[in-house]
Every structure is written in C-alpha cells, then in structure tokens.
Amino acid sequence: MRAVAIAGIGGIRFGKYGDRSLRVLGEEACIKAIRDAGMKPRDIQAAYVGNLAQWEWGQGLLIGHSVLREIGITKIPITRVENGCATGSNAFHEAWYRVATGACDIALAFGVEQMTVASSEKILNVFTGRQHAERDGDMGNSAPGLFALMARRHMEEFGTTRNQMAMVAVKNRKYGARNPEAQLTRSVTVEEVLKDRMICDPLTLPQCCPRGDGAAAAVLVAAKIARKYSSVPISVAASVQVSGTYPDDRSYTCFDTDVRAAEAAYKMAGLGPGDIDLAEVHDCFSVAEIVHYEDLGFCRKGDGGRFVEEGHSGIGGKIPVNTSGGLLSKGHVIGATGISQIIELVRQLRGQAGGRQVEGARVALQHNGGGFIHTDTASCFIHILRK
Amino acid sequence: MKTRRFIEDGWFHDFGHGLALTGGRCPACGRIYFPTKQVCPACFATDQEKIPLSHKGILHTFACSHMGPSGLPTPYPIGFIELPEGIKLFSLLTRCDPWDRVLKVGMEMEMVIETIRTDEDGNEIVGYKFRPSGEIPS
Ligand SMILES: [Zn+2]
C-alpha cells in the first residue's frame, strides 16, 4: 500500500431539504470538494458514493452516475456502496483503497442521503421483516432500544449515571452551537436533557441523534502528488474496516468491532490512543459515545462516564471528541455521516475550525459504526488522519 | 376475519411438555443456535438436531421503549434474556408492572407465548415474551 492524502473536502449543512433532489445535494458537495482540491472534474479517476436506502424511501437508482454526469464526471468507474450507518465511511475507505493500491492516483468519495422525506414509521419498518434471523425489529427492538439496553447494562456494571450520559449531549450540543454546519445550534443543560421527552428509557430525545438531509465529499490523492493540489494535505495514516461477530456470550457493554478496528488502525498508523489529539466518534446516542471512549482506548473499560464528566473529552481535555457537535447536533445523514466526520477532522488539522479549534492538533481519529444485527454492530470503520 | 399466526413457523414446537422455543444443536460440534440454521456457522456441519430451549433465563439488561413499529402499543419494556444454552434473546417483557421497580438485572425470567403485535391488517402475530419468574401467570 502506498501513502494517500486528502486534497479536498466539501459538505453542505445537514438539515431538511425535502424541496431539493438528492442529486442536487450530491452535486453541491462534490463541486465544493473538487474546487477545494483545485482540480477539474476530469482529474477524478474513480468515484464511490455512499447512499443507504434509495429504494426504501423513494430515491433513484444509479445516484452516483446521476450526480456526477451533471458536473462533468463520466466514463470512470462509479460505484455505490451501502454499509448501514457507516455507508459514507465505506465509500471513503474504497476510494482510499483504490488509490493506496495504485489503481489510480485521484479518487472521489461522497455520501448523500435524504432522511426527512421518509416517515419515522417507514424508517422503523425497515428494521422489521425476515432479513435478520432473530426478528428483533418485529418484536419491538429499534436503534434507540438497542442503545437503551446497552445504557442500562453499563449503568448496572460500571455505575454510569443518567447525568453522565446527558453530559455527552450537553458537550456535543455546545460544540454544535459553534459549528455553522450543524443542524441543531442551541446548547442545552443537563437538566433540560433529562427532562425532555423519553424515547427509550433511559434515553431522552436530546440523547438520540436527529435525522437530516445532506451530502459530504472528499478527494483522495496519492501522497506523492498531494502538494500539487493542497498546501496542507492531510495524510490518511490508517483506514480500517471490520465486521461484527454477533457474540451471545459477551456482556452487552462493549463494541467488539471498535476494539478490533482500533487495534488494527493503531497498528497501521504506528500510533496509540495516547497520540490522538482529537476524534469524531459515532455518537448516534449519548451512551454510544461513552462506550466508544472505552473501546477505542481513550480510557479504561467502565470509565467512560467519568471521562466525559471530568471533561477529558471536551476541548482542552485529554482527547476532545466530536468538536463538530457530533451526530447529536449535526444529525445522522446516513450516507453522508462518515465523510462529514472526516471533513471536521480535516478542518481541525488545517486549523480552520474557528471557535471550536483544537490548538496544535496533528493527529485525529474518525470512527463510524454501521448498523446493528441482534447483539453486535455489523460494521465499523476507523480512519486516522495526520497533518 | 382477523387471524392469529406465529411470527415464524418453526420457532415453537411441542417436544412433549407444551410449546417450547426450538433450538438447533450442531451434530458435529454441539453448539446450540436460535433460530435453527441450515449449517453451523462455527463448523459448517448440516442436519442440526431440533431441541427444546429452556423456558427460564436471566435478565441481562432492560429498557422501556416509548416508540416502536406499527401495531405495538407504547410504552413497552424490553430486554435481553440469557438462556442456559448460551443464547441471548431479545424479548418484550410482560407482567412486570411497574417495570422500573420490578425489573432487576440478573433476575430470573420465564417465557410465555403471547400476541406480540398486530400486522397492518389487524391480524395478531404470536411469539415469545418473558415475565419475572415465579409469579402465578394471569
Ligand atoms: Zn458445529
């Protein structure tokens, strides 16, 4: 594998864009990323698009081709990927792999999704049916259910509190208020979080990420030509993908996929958790971020609640986490989420993060978990970026 | 006319002591699965033997959902149940009112076969639930 760098990024603020087409959202992000890299569309040699549920909520087939032909990218290989909530990260990983193997020098990765055009019921019903053997969705489990169950077991085993979980939402909404691209821009207090509407006890509404529409794109290049396109190219020091093992015999307080992906990513980058200056992790629910601290090695198993309470995951702490505001502020725009996390880290490493800048940041970790089947995440991606 | 049907044909079988959940035991390595599988994911052997799973298990964790799929009234308590066979089942929890006082991680739970929810036509979908063990079923 050869060294790969990020030469351009481009995203649009996540929000409600039901009046615009999926295609136009994708175009806008790709145009921004290609401009940011100082390229022309014809420079792109391969493209991967992340889009989760195009047929489920009425989006068209061949979304990658539809978007790219409008901006002058034709002929090259264009591939759509799907990997649950990590769909965008999967597109980025494939683009990285294509450049890292030497198959091409310049690849585009983008993700696009319209979540607000579908009803909650329709989205929930995607999790029902006979695809998964145990039929948990048909019996009433859901994404909030899975994480509420994890929260309860974590509280029981490690003494994690409702307050500590609320603090994740408070921290992320605080940073979201400083991010012009976040969907929710109002900060909240612990008391407000705990008093809000219950979604799945112990998780209240502000502890569950909102949905959204949007797009995010990145241009990856072989490191040897990166300076031609960017004055501050950001190296991809690690790009790792793993899948779940679905254990029945493990305590439901751990993302085994995180542990394995992190181990591989640290090894690939030649770094450890102590070298990470900041991270964007998959905070679909407040408790998830707490468990990710532990499984990514930011703190010991069981200490995640205290890690946030003591400020270690805030700006100025040991490892600032989700300075973008995270999914809890930006919203989860499935196909675009992973690349949106990468955009935040590139901005931070370039020193362009404004009022939420982590001073002197040189190494950053991106983590994106993809979907749940029964007792385990189906996929997990970790990228380590270096200035 | 409204009908009642099992969530999956083949999940429940009477092995001689009333309906039980049907597990599959691998003839080669002895691992037990629910639901039964075409091959053993651990050793790829075929011809799993159908066996009754325990009616009783331990409550690994629980929660209470205020949202859910159509045909399932909210709020409703949910949990993961650990069976002695080494299987973790997701389950609706029943007869545990008030759930936040009654339910405890580590308590013994017992299976009941009941309507889980209704489908879009109002037909009842029947499956398993777990209730705190030792009470008289109502
Ligand atoms: Zn076997």
Side-chain angles (χ1 to χ4, degrees), chain B residues 26 28-31 33 40 42-45:
Chain B
C26 174
C29 74
R31 284 183 177 82
Y33 298 96
C40 173
C43 76
F44 212 55

Side-chain angles (χ1 to χ4, degrees), chain A residues 121 124-125 130 133-136 138-141 148-149 152-153 156 198-201 248 250-252 374, chain B residues 7-8 11 35 60-68 70 72 76 86-88 90 92 99 105 117 128:
Chain A
E121 190 172 36
L124 254 182
N125 285 342
R130 304 184 72 179
E134 291 88 355
R135 308 280 307 264
D136 292 349
D138 282 298
M139 292 193 293
N141 210 358
L149 290 167
R152 170 68 60 179
R153 183 73 195 187
E156 188 71 25
M198 191 58 79
I199 299 299
C200 191
D201 197 309
D248 271 1
R250 193 172 286 132
S251 175
Y252 192 58
H374 195 46
Chain B
I7 181 169
E8 282 280 340
W11 274 18
H60 184 74
T61 182
F62 59 92
C64 182
S65 187
H66 292 245
M67 43 87 74
S70 38
L72 179 55
Y76 54 86
I87 287 166
K88 215 176 244 137
F90 171 80
L92 290 166
W99 68 272
V105 167
R117 54 185 273 237
Y128 66 85

Side-chain angles (χ1 to χ4, degrees), chain A residues 294-347:
Chain A
E294 299 168 359
D295 295 339
L296 298 174
F298 297 174
C299 66
R300 282 185 317 184
K301 191 76 213 163
D303 284 350
R306 283 178 289 280
F307 196 74
V308 64
E309 185 172 15
E310 291 165 7
H312 299 310
S313 54
I315 295 173
K318 284 181 187 166
I319 304 180
V321 174
N322 288 332
T323 57
S324 68
L327 278 60
L328 290 173
S329 303
K330 290 185 304 178
H332 195 3
V333 182
I334 312 261
T337 291
I339 297 174
S340 153
Q341 294 175 310
I342 285 168
I343 288 176
E344 170 69 8
L345 297 178
V346 169
R347 286 202 179 117

